[in-house]
Amino acid sequence: VQLQASGGGLVQAGGSLRLSCAASGSIFSRNAMGWARQAPGKQRELVATITISGTPNYADSVKGRFTISRDNAKNTVYLQMNSLKPEDTAVYYCAADKSPIFRGGDYWGKGTLVTVSS
């Protein structure tokens, strides 16, 4: 499974970004998907997951601001990020799980950098 994340960049606090992750090499509709992030000097944090049926789950730190969605026809998962804060600055990674429910991720893509300026 290959995962390619895109959409990162520099944004001011309060702004929005949408990340995309295109998957290939598997039957996408059978994979739970997730987004995680890693800030400098910090551990990787799982921020959002989505089951094969489209049920989302969010970390408390992003709940109400981030929305994860998937388009099985395009083999793509999205992360819409609104009301961004400087503490959201991190490299964001997408992951695919062999399970219908995200259990930690079996495949990980290269990250995309999100920088939020104050």
Side-chain angles (χ1 to χ4, degrees):
V1 177
Q2 292 80 45
L3 302 170
Q4 182 64 54
S6 61
L10 174 64
V11 63
Q12 288 188 333
S16 299
L17 279 176
R18 188 176 82 154
L19 305 183
S20 300
C21 177
S24 61
S26 75
I27 302 176
F28 178 78
S29 61
R30 296 182 183 177
N31 299 118
M33 301 296 295
W35 286 96
R37 67 186 181 187
Q38 188 165 20
K42 295 188 177 181
Q43 290 187 332
R44 188 174 292 189
E45 175 192 18
L46 186 65
V47 297
T49 64
I50 188 165
T51 67
I52 60 171
S53 60
T55 301
N57 194 37
Y58 301 97
D60 288 343
S61 58
V62 306
K63 200 170 292 183
R65 300 187 297 121
F66 290 11
T67 302
I68 188 171
S69 61
R70 64 189 298 156
D71 186 336
N72 290 342
K74 295 183 178 179
N75 286 3
T76 301
V77 62
Y78 303 98
L79 186 68
Q80 177 67 42
M81 306 186 294
N82 299 329
S83 302
L84 283 162
K85 304 175 182 180
E87 51 263 45
D88 294 318
T89 295
V91 177
Y92 283 72
Y93 301 88
C94 67
D97 205 286
K98 294 179 182 178
S99 169
I101 299 173
F102 195 86
R103 299 184 184 278
D106 295 295
Y107 309 99
W108 290 83
K110 293 181 180 179
T112 185
L113 177 63
V114 172
T115 303
V116 184
S117 63
S118 57

